[in-house]
Amino acid sequence: MTSDGGIQIPSRLPLLLTHEGVLLPGSTVRFSVDSPRNMHLVSQRLLKGTSLKSTIIGVIPNTRDPEHDTDDLPTLHKIGTAGIAVQVVGSNWPKPHYTLLITGLCRFSVSSLLKERPFVLAEVEQLDKLEQYTTPATSGASAEDGELGELSQKFYQAAVQLLGMLDMSVPVVAKFRRLLDSLPKETLPDVVASMIRTSNKEKLQVLDAVSLEERFKKALPMLTRQIEGLKLLQRTRKMSPDNEKRVLSVRKGGVFPGRQFNLDEEDEDDDGDDITVLERKVNGANMPEAALRVCLKELKRLKKMPQSMPEYALTRNYLDLMVELPWSKCTKDCLDIRAARTLLDNDHYAMDKLKRRVLEYLAVRQLKTSLKGPILCFVGPPGVGKTSVGRSIARTLGREFHRIALGGVCDQSDIRGHRRTYVGSMPGRIINGLKTVGVNNPVFLLDEVDKLGKSLQGDPAAALLEVLDPEQNHSFTDHYLNVAFDLSQVLFIATANNTATIPPALLDRMEVLQVPGYTQEEKVEIAHRHLIPNQLEQHGLTPQQLHIPQDTTQDIISRYTREAGVRSLERKIGAICRAVAVKVAEGHRLTKTETSTEIQQQQEGDKAAPPEMPIVIDHVALKDILGPPLFEMEVSERLTLPGVALGLAWTPLGGEIMFVEASRTEGEGQLTLTGQLGDVMKESAHLAISWLRANAKTYQLTNMVGGRDPLEGTDIHLHFPAGAVTKDGPSAGVTIVTCLASLFSGRLVRSDVAMTGEITLRGLVLPVGGIKDKVLAAHRAGVKRVILPKRNEKDLEELPANVRADLDFVMASNLDEVLNASFDGGFPGTSSSHSHPQLSSKL
Ligand code: ADP
């Protein structure tokens, strides 16, 4: 190919007929080809050839409409560009085609066609001399005199001007800049024409301009037009670098593979209509007078604003939101108390007290629609159905439901929005929620109000107050909207794990409904009535395919979960469903080994058979799927040494059993406490020790060597295991006393006793809170006897009958009674019950 230093294209070239795009020398264009001739050319020539020569093809623009492409060869354009195929990519999707990346070398004209099939081969004549392109810009050809020299100089300067207007930090622009100086000037018309925004027709004109002079003349106006366009753009748009980059949007084709400058002004044609549409929407949004006035004002400003102003987008977004808000759209309440009761009952097992209160609330609402009553707040451990009751309420009312998670919200603008002067300002969650549901009377569930945070950005609780206050919320003003929105039709329901951390002012507005944890039996019922059917459905299974017997459910509840609610129970059932879904999907391909454990044991005889339906989850299968049990009944094991007692604690996650351990060593009477304790707990420990010391004689308590003072020459260590959880509160008092009494007397505490209660220095037992959750926890743990403060007797009524029947309650008013009930056969000294005749709680 090389002769005398110049590069020559072969005299016979296969021709690629292209519909899209025009290849000019010096540029690289991507072509997608799928016509039979072109496909043959690629497969037989480009993909088979091995020499450089075989990659050179002629590209001829085919101006004929591709729709009417027929088998016979169209009349070819006379001039084309020879190019090197630098990349060939084939694909079968959506139909077989190749994508070619071709770099243009030089013009040629077609002398004669040699063959038409399978691809076009032609005798061609090279028009541009390739050696021209290798001559540096400074020498020879460019230094031409006369009109051509002038033209090329002018063109060069225009190109420099164009570059000056572009952002050099864009790599494509920087590359163009480098190329501009290193390329010979006579190649510029081709290069520039392929780079700036030109139509195919214009490119064709440049291609057809064989004489250099003519080429410059054709391309120059295109370049000047581009510069003018850009100038106009810069004038109207105060160009931020971002805008500039946007203008240089990368398009298909161009000098650099796959890239092209798009320097055109953006289309602004339908903008006028757009605003008219918006205006119509504003007028039709049925908003109150004040809001409408603001919108019309903004609309007026918008009309005057050039689109390129950043404020344009802001105002536009604002108006879009205003139009979308449900100012007067609402759903009609369809409340039928009887139907509501059925629905609540169907959706939820147990929780009778809560359901009763909810029905009362709904009934009152029905009688008096403009009810300004308190906000209901469901308080209870996770997974007890608070959210799901909220959802049911929405359903019974026929209203939309929206959940607003408040956990971790510590900025008041989360609730009330940012002022529009901020960059990236947004409306708050309330307004956003209204936009989402599209009606102004939804049920909003404010989830986890007890997890609201506080920060420098203001107190979100204060903002919530305004939202929830029936006196104020008819004109709630979101900072972003800056006009009042009437929230009085929204039904708010709140949920929390713990009332202690709800800001008091907020708590004041709410009616707290406790949702305690479930008993084992309730959980079994919930599992079989709700969770299992739901999970089966979610996993595409039917009861004919999977059966979980009650025994198994009980096993899951007691050995794989330890919670007040049913959330992890639901997850475990989900895990079983997934495991079974795999088996069902595998169907008859089950192997022998797989069947033997998973499926019922009786299948052993028929090992190669598909799993028998339904797959029954027994204990073996359960262990296989969920792994070894996470919780064992550890109570009796741990109470095998003196100095251990079982207490009951309340946490926001429900009741818990809590071990208290004590040990003594020789020392100087020091007390060590470990296990993340709060101050109140430490005080209880000191109280307990003081009381035991004072009564050591009565109870025959001794130190390690049998001395009368249990603390003499002895160090005591009290430990509350599960150290990750901070424990505080007075309710462990009785447990500490019992634990120490056991240590000092060397006797074992009964292994099936758990207790709770506050103590006084004089040995009284005072009432404590959270009795229901605590007793349920004891019941879960398999405890038989529960010692409670006498004054908590009334709380027993809340317990389910079966739990009450299962447990033996000892209602103690003083520590004497506690110790008596904690040790088998009573505690020494109790026979002389006259020792505390004066003790009876007056509190
Ligand atoms: P919470 O909001 O209290 O944390 P959820 O409402 O998310 O709990 O409940 C968790 C899951 O337990 C849900 O799938 C819910 O349907 C189910 N669930 C909880 N309590 C009951 C119940 N009493 N009857 C039926 N399903 C329940």
Side-chain angles (χ1 to χ4, degrees):
M1 273 210 311
T2 313
S3 64
D4 312 331
I7 301 169
Q8 206 122 45
I9 60 164
S11 58
R12 292 173 162 203
L13 275 185
L15 299 186
L16 188 79
L17 311 185
T18 64
H19 290 296
E20 25 147 345
V22 177
L23 179 70
L24 289 171
S27 68
T28 302
V29 178
R30 204 177 286 278
F31 292 104
S32 175
V33 300
D34 58 9
S35 70
R37 280 198 185 88
N38 287 343
M39 295 285 278
H40 279 129
L41 189 156
V42 176
S43 58
Q44 293 180 16
R45 179 77 177 224
L46 292 182
L47 295 181
K48 290 235 175 83
T50 46
S51 62
L52 177 62
K53 193 174 139 194
S54 63
T55 63
I56 298 185
I57 56 174
V59 178
I60 292 269
N62 182 2
T63 42
R64 222 164 71 161
D65 186 357
E67 293 296 316
H68 301 116
D69 216 355
T70 49
D71 207 25
D72 39 85
L73 198 64
T75 37
L76 291 180
H77 197 77
K78 278 279 163 304
I79 296 174
T81 305
I84 291 188
V86 274
Q87 191 189 58
V88 181
V89 181
S91 167
N92 268 333
W93 198 88
K95 55 181 179 178
H97 70 278
Y98 289 104
T99 307
L100 307 180
L101 197 61
I102 304 176
T103 304
L105 296 171
C106 64
R107 284 177 179 71
F108 67 83
S109 64
V110 180
S111 318
S112 63
L113 288 183
L114 296 174
K115 62 174 187 174
E116 295 184 11
R117 288 209 171 76
F119 53 85
V120 190
L121 190 68
E123 185 88 40
V124 300
E125 186 192 340
Q126 184 170 351
L127 295 175
D128 305 320
K129 294 284 172 264
L130 279 177
E131 58 264 38
Q132 278 180 340
Y133 294 113
T134 53
T135 327
T138 43
S139 67
S142 69
E144 283 183 55
D145 41 18
E147 202 186 356
L148 185 57
E150 219 172 88
L151 258 176
S152 81
Q153 196 55 33
K154 219 163 150 187
F155 196 90
Y156 172 78
Q157 273 159 6
V160 171
Q161 188 189 357
L162 175 71
L163 271 173
M165 300 169 81
L166 301 176
D167 180 6
M168 271 303 162
S169 67
V170 180
V172 193
V173 179
K175 199 166 171 186
F176 181 23
R177 166 82 242 188
R178 272 200 311 282
L179 276 178
L180 191 65
D181 284 336
S182 57
L183 279 180
K185 288 216 175 70
E186 60 273 13
T187 64
L188 282 183
D190 285 339
V191 172
V192 171
S194 59
M195 201 186 308
I196 59 178
R197 169 70 78 92
T198 44
S199 65
N200 275 348
K201 215 163 140 201
E202 286 171 323
K203 285 203 190 88
L204 216 53
Q205 285 175 6
V206 177
L207 179 70
D208 289 347
V210 177
S211 104
L212 207 51
E213 199 174 322
E214 195 188 339
R215 212 180 300 161
F216 272 119
K217 279 185 183 153
K218 281 264 166 6
L220 190 58
M222 299 175 199
L223 180 57
T224 352
R225 185 190 62 202
Q226 192 70 68
I227 292 171
E228 289 308 316
L230 206 58
K231 270 190 193 157
L232 196 71
L233 194 66
Q234 283 183 341
R235 234 177 290 131
T236 51
R237 193 176 298 184
K238 259 210 163 322
M239 265 203 155
S240 73
D242 270 0
N243 274 341
E244 218 165 313
K245 274 178 205 149
R246 192 151 47 90
V247 176
L248 290 176
S249 67
V250 172
R251 284 198 329 152
K252 189 168 125 192
V255 165
F256 316 110
R259 310 201 142 185
Q260 174 158 6
F261 298 111
N262 169 9
L263 304 175
D264 261 14
E265 184 105 35
E266 257 145 46
D267 299 336
E268 295 194 0
D269 15 310
D270 57 0
D271 181 47
D273 299 346
D274 231 25
I275 291 198
T276 329
V277 171
L278 192 61
E279 192 166 2
R280 211 176 309 134
K281 280 195 203 157
V282 165
N283 286 319
N286 238 337
M287 45 181 102
E289 189 63 35
L292 184 64
R293 232 178 302 129
V294 172
C295 277
L296 291 177
K297 208 171 98 200
E298 293 289 329
L299 206 61
K300 220 157 123 195
R301 283 185 46 211
L302 193 70
K303 280 185 198 158
K304 289 191 197 134
M305 238 183 263
Q307 236 191 43
S308 51
M309 255 170 91
E311 221 191 318
Y312 182 92
L314 278 185
T315 314
R316 184 71 220 239
N317 286 347
Y318 174 75
L319 284 172
D320 280 341
L321 174 70
M322 290 291 271
V323 169
E324 265 180 69
L325 281 182
W327 295 98
S328 52
K329 249 189 266 165
C330 59
T331 49
K332 205 164 160 299
D333 278 1
C334 54
L335 184 59
D336 170 357
I337 289 292
R338 219 169 314 149
R341 173 172 296 147
T342 326
L343 205 124
L344 273 175
D345 277 342
N346 284 349
D347 282 1
H348 299 96
Y349 179 77
M351 35 173 53
D352 296 327
K353 211 167 137 191
L354 179 78
K355 285 193 282 199
R356 201 173 340 123
R357 180 64 190 97
V358 166
L359 281 178
E360 283 168 20
Y361 182 81
L362 294 177
V364 177
R365 268 200 91 86
Q366 190 184 23
L367 296 178
K368 191 167 184 322
T369 40
S370 61
L371 177 69
K372 287 190 178 168
I375 312 290
L376 292 184
C377 177
F378 303 149
V379 177
V384 290
K386 301 183 295 294
T387 314
S388 108
V389 169
R391 196 167 275 134
S392 287
I393 292 179
R395 249 187 335 136
T396 53
L397 286 170
R399 291 192 178 200
E400 294 291 329
F401 177 82
H402 185 71
R403 177 173 164 269
I404 300 179
L406 295 175
V409 167
C410 60
D411 183 348
Q412 69 151 328
S413 44
D414 254 327
I415 309 287
R416 222 199 295 252
H418 294 272
R419 293 199 186 282
R420 258 197 304 148
T421 41
Y422 285 101
V423 179
S425 55
M426 291 182 300
R429 294 188 188 206
I430 304 287
I431 292 296
N432 247 338
L434 284 166
K435 186 182 128 191
T436 312
V437 295
V439 286
N440 66 8
N441 63 342
V443 172
F444 271 174
L445 186 88
L446 304 172
D447 219 357
E448 311 201 309
V449 277
D450 55 335
K451 309 265 183 341
L452 277 178
K454 234 183 201 178
S455 73
L456 290 179
Q457 276 75 41
D459 184 358
L464 257 195
L465 268 184
E466 191 184 327
V467 172
L468 298 183
D469 188 348
E471 301 298 328
Q472 294 183 41
N473 72 5
H474 56 85
S475 61
F476 168 71
T477 307
D478 183 281
H479 284 158
Y480 181 83
L481 285 197
N482 214 12
V483 288
F485 193 97
D486 182 4
L487 294 180
S488 58
Q489 297 308 309
V490 181
L491 177 65
F492 289 101
I493 297 174
T495 79
N497 289 146
N498 185 1
T499 46
T501 47
I502 302 180
L506 210 54
L507 192 58
D508 199 39
R509 302 269 145 82
M510 304 199 268
E511 174 179 340
V512 172
L513 296 182
Q514 293 285 352
V515 195
Y518 297 115
T519 62
Q520 175 109 358
E521 286 69 25
E522 283 171 342
K523 285 187 189 174
V524 172
E525 284 299 322
I526 293 173
H528 284 273
R529 288 172 193 229
H530 301 282
L531 306 181
I532 297 178
N534 281 351
Q535 289 295 322
L536 284 181
E537 197 189 319
Q538 278 182 24
H539 289 84
L541 294 168
T542 61
Q544 282 73 42
Q545 289 167 322
L546 169 63
H547 177 61
I548 306 182
Q550 296 237 350
D551 277 359
T552 309
T553 322
Q554 237 151 24
D555 228 23
I556 305 174
I557 294 167
S558 58
R559 300 172 72 193
Y560 290 90
T561 65
R562 180 160 287 177
E563 54 170 357
V566 291
R567 200 168 282 163
S568 60
L569 174 61
E570 191 175 22
R571 269 201 296 273
K572 298 286 175 202
I573 294 173
I576 294 174
C577 288
R578 281 195 298 279
V580 170
V582 173
K583 296 291 169 213
V584 172
E586 276 177 354
H588 58 276
R589 279 185 290 117
L590 271 187
T591 62
K592 285 190 277 186
T593 46
E594 273 174 309
T595 49
S596 60
T597 51
E598 271 279 339
I599 321 304
Q600 284 174 296
Q601 300 297 312
Q602 59 260 42
Q603 247 187 321
E604 295 277 273
D606 183 17
K607 282 180 178 165
E612 207 169 79
M613 298 295 173
I615 296 178
V616 179
I617 304 297
D618 58 7
H619 294 274
V620 184
L622 191 63
K623 204 162 165 191
D624 238 36
I625 298 171
L626 298 182
L630 301 175
F631 305 99
E632 288 295 354
M633 291 297 171
E634 53 183 349
V635 176
S636 49
E637 279 166 39
R638 303 232 349 220
L639 291 172
T640 51
L641 281 175
V644 186
L646 186 60
L648 295 172
W650 183 89
T651 71
L653 309 186
E656 291 267 5
I657 55 167
M658 175 182 68
F659 287 94
V660 180
E661 298 174 345
S663 71
R664 56 180 170 179
T665 50
E666 269 179 44
E668 293 151 9
Q670 284 205 348
L671 172 66
T672 313
L673 293 165
T674 50
Q676 289 267 338
L677 308 176
D679 289 338
V680 180
M681 199 83 148
K682 287 178 190 154
E683 284 169 12
S684 298
H686 284 289
L687 265 180
I689 289 188
S690 295
W691 184 81
L692 282 169
R693 272 176 98 175
N695 293 283
K697 196 169 151 213
T698 326
Y699 294 114
Q700 298 163 20
L701 305 177
T702 56
N703 68 359
M704 286 167 79
V705 291
R708 269 301 161 88
D709 182 356
L711 238 60
E712 191 189 343
T714 311
D715 276 352
I716 297 190
H717 188 160
L718 262 179
H719 180 59
F720 298 78
V725 190
T726 309
K727 304 164 212 72
D728 201 13
S731 69
V734 292
T735 323
I736 302 174
V737 169
T738 310
C739 164
L740 289 173
S742 155
L743 182 72
F744 296 151
S745 66
R747 296 185 57 193
L748 283 181
V749 178
R750 273 178 60 157
S751 63
D752 56 356
V753 172
M755 62 201 76
T756 182
E758 184 178 351
I759 54 170
T760 71
L761 196 52
R762 312 251 333 255
L764 298 181
V765 175
L766 303 185
V768 292
I771 293 293
K772 181 171 180 190
D773 281 326
K774 287 176 178 176
V775 173
L776 290 182
H779 187 248
R780 273 204 295 278
V783 167
K784 292 281 174 309
R785 173 180 285 185
V786 179
I787 305 174
L788 300 173
K790 179 128 183 120
R791 285 191 48 205
N792 278 117
E793 200 155 10
K794 60 178 188 318
D795 295 317
L796 294 187
E797 282 166 24
E798 284 184 22
L799 292 170
N802 67 315
V803 174
R804 259 188 293 173
D806 281 355
L807 294 173
D808 166 23
F809 293 99
V810 176
M811 310 310 292
S813 58
N814 59 47
L815 282 174
D816 198 50
E817 290 164 22
V818 173
L819 292 180
N820 227 347
S822 305
F823 293 89
D824 268 331
F827 205 61
T830 40
S831 51
S832 53
S833 54
H834 61 270
S835 62
H836 303 289
Q838 78 281 26
L839 287 186
S840 67
S841 170
K842 294 202 185 68
L843 289 165

